[in-house]
Amino acid sequence: SQTIHQWPATLVQPVGSPLSLECTVEGTSNPNLYWYRQAAGRGLQLLFYSVGIGQISSEVPQNLSASRPQDRQFILSSKKLLLSDSGFYLCAWRGGTGAYNEQFFGPGTRLTVL
Amino acid sequence: AQSVTQLDSHVSVSEGTPVLLRCNYSSSYSPSLFWYVQHPNKGLQLLLKYTSAATLVKGINGFEAEFKKSETSFHLTKPSAHMSDAAEYFCVVSDMWGKLTFGQGTILTVHP
């Protein structure tokens, strides 16, 4: 069966420090991968998605970047964190290209920028 | 373009009473629709999905939803609430390429 891992689970970082969040998927190949951010009291905002190694699409301009160095690895990064980067970050994967294929979510990373 | 509107930001019910979480959608084509549940500080779990095979969709934990094209609705229901149902629920629409648009969420509170 497929599983998705995210780490760390929680992170507290000072403003201006770098960030690296990692997501890995097991049990599937060539998944579509997604990064979402969930701010307090708000819905989910799609940040990035990837349909293959090295292929990244950004949904909103921001202080973050994403990379996909391996088929089942998706990394979210920042060179200098802002207070507004605080939130709950969720990674998701999806198999296939049909509209009916649901996304499966990881456990999330709670990021607090102080 | 597609959009989702969850009509209630908070719903409060007593244990053992019915649950109704309302969702309306807008889509340029025949949509795929999903309901996800999120418990505090957890990832999202799929409850059910509509894929045009049947308008009444049954999901996990006794939840079901009915797709009504004429009303552009996909309301989530459960006959009898349980304390463990307390969570946030998201109605989601997918475009033909699998890009999801999320509603703002409905927080369900269940009182003993």
Side-chain angles (χ1 to χ4, degrees):
Chain A
S1 63
Q2 301 89 359
T3 55
I4 178 168
H5 304 279
Q6 284 186 248
W7 64 90
T10 61
L11 190 60
V12 180
Q13 292 284 99
V15 169
S17 63
L19 173 74
S20 181
L21 302 182
E22 189 162 345
C23 170
T24 59
V25 181
E26 297 177 357
T28 187
S29 59
N30 196 30
N32 292 349
L33 296 171
Y34 305 83
W35 277 113
Y36 292 88
R37 176 169 59 201
Q38 188 176 27
R42 301 177 66 178
L44 274 74
Q45 179 186 37
L46 178 63
L47 303 176
F48 301 95
Y49 70 93
S50 171
V51 299
I53 295 174
Q55 300 179 62
I56 308 295
S57 296
S58 174
E59 287 295 299
V60 292
Q62 57 206 317
N63 184 43
L64 302 168
S65 63
S67 62
R68 184 170 177 176
Q70 300 180 44
D71 181 46
R72 289 169 288 178
Q73 183 185 31
F74 204 24
I75 297 172
L76 184 69
S77 303
S78 174
K79 292 181 179 178
K80 289 185 177 182
L81 283 169
L82 306 172
L83 287 173
S84 57
D85 292 325
S86 292
F88 193 50
Y89 288 82
L90 289 161
C91 180
W93 75 271
R94 177 174 175 270
T97 56
Y100 300 148
N101 294 338
E102 64 268 32
Q103 291 185 15
F104 298 94
F105 288 81
T109 295
R110 173 74 59 192
L111 172 65
T112 303
V113 182
L114 301 175
Chain B
Q2 58 187 23
S3 65
V4 176
T5 302
Q6 290 183 241
L7 300 169
D8 306 292
S9 58
H10 291 81
V11 170
S12 181
V13 301
S14 298
E15 191 175 20
T17 64
V19 176
L20 170 64
L21 305 182
R22 298 182 295 166
C23 172
N24 286 103
Y25 70 91
S26 172
S27 178
S28 303
Y29 30 76
S30 182
S32 297
L33 294 159
F34 309 84
W35 276 99
Y36 283 86
V37 61
Q38 184 181 30
H39 288 90
N41 292 310
K42 301 291 185 183
L44 276 70
Q45 180 185 19
L46 181 70
L47 279 178
L48 50 82
K49 66 178 180 180
Y50 166 73
T51 60
S52 78
T55 56
L56 183 61
V57 182
K58 294 187 183 298
I60 62 172
N61 301 334
F63 284 95
E64 61 181 39
E66 186 172 8
F67 174 72
K68 293 186 176 180
K69 186 175 181 179
S70 60
E71 300 176 9
T72 60
S73 69
F74 190 56
H75 301 335
L76 182 70
T77 61
K78 183 174 180 177
S80 177
H82 191 273
M83 295 297 290
S84 61
D85 294 327
E88 189 164 15
Y89 292 79
F90 292 94
C91 182
V92 183
V93 62
S94 173
D95 69 11
M96 63 179 67
W97 297 279
K99 181 179 175 181
L100 303 185
T101 300
F102 287 78
Q104 289 299 304
T106 298
I107 296 173
L108 175 65
T109 302
V110 182
H111 298 288

